[in-house]
Amino acid sequence: MKLINFLSISCGLLMGLPISQAGAQEFPTKPITMVVPFAAGGPTDVVGRKIGHLMERTLKQPIVIQNAGGAGGTIGTNLVNKAKADGYTILLHHIGMATAPALYRKLDFNPLTDFEYIGLVADVPMTLVAKQGLPANNFNELLSYIKVHQDKLTLANAGLGSASHLCGMVLMESIGVDLTTVPYKGTQPAMTDLLAGQVDIMCDQVSNTLPFIKDKKVKVYATSTPKRLKSLPEVPSATEIGLPKFNILVWHGIYAPKNTPPAMTAKIRGALQEALKTDEFQKDMDAFSITVSTPAEATEKGLKSILEADTARLGVLIRKAGQFAD
Ligand code: ASP
């Protein structure tokens, strides 16, 4: 046993505290792993790295990002579900926590009961983009093009349960088409293939698409928001293209394994709340038109209430679409 651990346990015992509580008081004493259940460089990774970096200031320990992509985020989530509840492993995941139960027949975790809920981080809008070589130059042209070529067109996503999957599903349902979907471990590798023209269309979060839209490396047709985004003033909103249901905000939250001691989750939550307040985070998110969560949302209640509401709301939509994975 390391001397420092031995000392902390001894002090805890001397002060009459349970060992876990004594450990919680000086937590953290080593780096914390934040699992991002998608590929590095993708939209959730962008949010995770920025918030993780700023939380380090309060926690005074490094936060190491572990990208564990695959199966729409369920692989990485499972890792955290099974991790030791000692405060040193946390999860940054998005709206996919609410869609997974309806999509996966076999899921090793229950998002509603099997975690500790630290708080919400940010709401990320989505954009509908296509490879530069696609002839359609606006949404109406895209619609006509899709209707004629739907057998050949491919729609990239980050797997069943990812935000890009949900967004694509809502789009296809709204316009009455059925495109072949191509799953990736995250939308970063999907974007690489879109840029190379290997896949045709993608619905993805602004935290990934914005630089490629600005550099005209991809074509953009709409945002998934009722109003235009400040960061993309030239791009029509979902309402303007006549698809008010194409309204998706990808909320992100932080979780810890079930039974992580409350003193530790409180420290992690405190660090989250401090990080959200910083000018740095506010400015970085604003550049993408990402909405930073309020102090009331960055709480256990804030995260649990949206998780519960969206599990019910989106579950209905998913069961109607009849898309499942084993
Ligand atoms: N958030 C995923 C990623 O970071 C993409 C998605 O959910 O569609 O790759």
Side-chain angles (χ1 to χ4, degrees):
M1 188 189 302
K2 282 200 186 123
L3 180 64
I4 189 129
N5 284 348
F6 172 75
L7 286 176
S8 70
I9 289 169
S10 315
C11 290
L13 288 174
L14 283 176
M15 288 159 63
L17 296 172
I19 290 172
S20 63
Q21 209 179 319
Q25 274 179 1
E26 53 190 40
F27 170 83
T29 56
K30 60 178 188 181
I32 293 175
T33 298
M34 178 186 276
V35 174
V36 169
F38 296 102
T44 297
D45 187 66
V46 166
V47 174
R49 281 178 200 269
K50 287 199 191 294
I51 199 72
H53 173 62
L54 293 167
M55 285 168 70
E56 289 175 348
R57 289 189 192 158
T58 308
L59 293 168
K60 307 222 166 12
Q61 284 292 338
I63 293 194
V64 181
I65 304 291
Q66 182 186 342
N67 296 96
T74 56
I75 293 177
T77 306
N78 213 12
L79 277 182
V80 177
N81 179 235
K82 297 211 161 42
K84 228 170 148 188
D86 61 359
Y88 290 99
T89 308
I90 55 176
L91 170 74
L92 177 95
H93 196 357
H94 62 32
I95 194 167
M97 278 294 253
T99 57
L103 286 166
Y104 288 84
R105 284 200 182 92
K106 275 188 244 132
L107 202 59
D108 286 344
F109 55 87
N110 179 345
L112 291 173
T113 55
D114 292 355
F115 294 88
E116 302 300 333
Y117 305 86
I118 305 294
L120 281 169
V121 178
D123 290 342
V124 186
M126 303 196 81
T127 48
L128 178 60
V129 296
K131 65 181 183 186
Q132 253 314 325
L134 207 89
N137 287 317
N138 56 48
F139 183 72
N140 279 340
E141 288 180 18
L142 179 71
L143 207 56
S144 315
Y145 192 80
I146 289 179
K147 294 237 156 125
V148 177
H149 300 279
Q150 66 170 300
D151 295 350
K152 292 186 209 85
L153 289 173
T154 49
L155 181 65
N157 66 35
L160 225 65
S162 61
S164 43
H165 165 255
L166 174 70
C167 189
M169 205 173 70
V170 174
L171 175 76
M172 291 193 285
E173 159 105 356
S174 311
I175 62 177
V177 297
D178 190 14
L179 304 177
T180 304
T181 54
V182 185
Y184 293 82
K185 286 195 171 172
T187 47
Q188 191 284 330
M191 179 59 87
T192 304
D193 272 9
L194 194 79
L195 295 173
Q198 309 281 4
V199 281
D200 301 310
I201 303 171
M202 178 160 71
C203 187
D204 193 20
Q205 297 159 68
V206 279
S207 37
N208 194 28
T209 58
L210 191 76
F212 301 106
I213 294 171
K214 295 265 184 217
D215 289 352
K216 303 211 173 338
K217 297 246 168 70
V218 295
K219 285 189 174 173
V220 59
Y221 302 101
T223 64
S224 71
T225 47
K227 288 196 182 139
R228 290 190 181 207
L229 300 178
K230 211 171 73 195
S231 59
L232 287 169
E234 65 289 359
V235 180
S237 68
T239 318
E240 286 174 276
I241 60 162
L243 299 181
K245 279 200 205 145
F246 186 60
N247 181 2
I248 303 158
L249 272 185
V250 186
W251 49 266
H252 287 66
I254 297 181
Y255 306 78
K258 183 88 187 164
N259 297 324
T260 303
M264 291 176 177
T265 54
K267 279 196 180 170
I268 300 169
R269 187 172 300 115
L272 167 65
Q273 298 207 344
E274 286 305 311
L276 294 178
K277 274 196 256 167
T278 59
D279 281 354
E280 214 171 316
F281 193 68
Q282 301 265 348
K283 262 203 208 140
D284 280 356
M285 296 298 110
D286 195 50
F288 285 107
S289 301
I290 292 173
T291 308
V292 175
S293 300
T294 62
E297 290 166 336
T299 57
E300 174 176 8
K301 188 162 167 248
L303 176 54
K304 262 212 119 171
S305 54
I306 190 156
L307 177 65
E308 283 168 0
D310 266 5
T311 304
R313 180 177 73 93
L314 298 169
V316 173
L317 185 105
I318 292 161
R319 282 182 208 102
K320 212 169 108 201
Q323 292 200 10
F324 304 105
D326 288 323

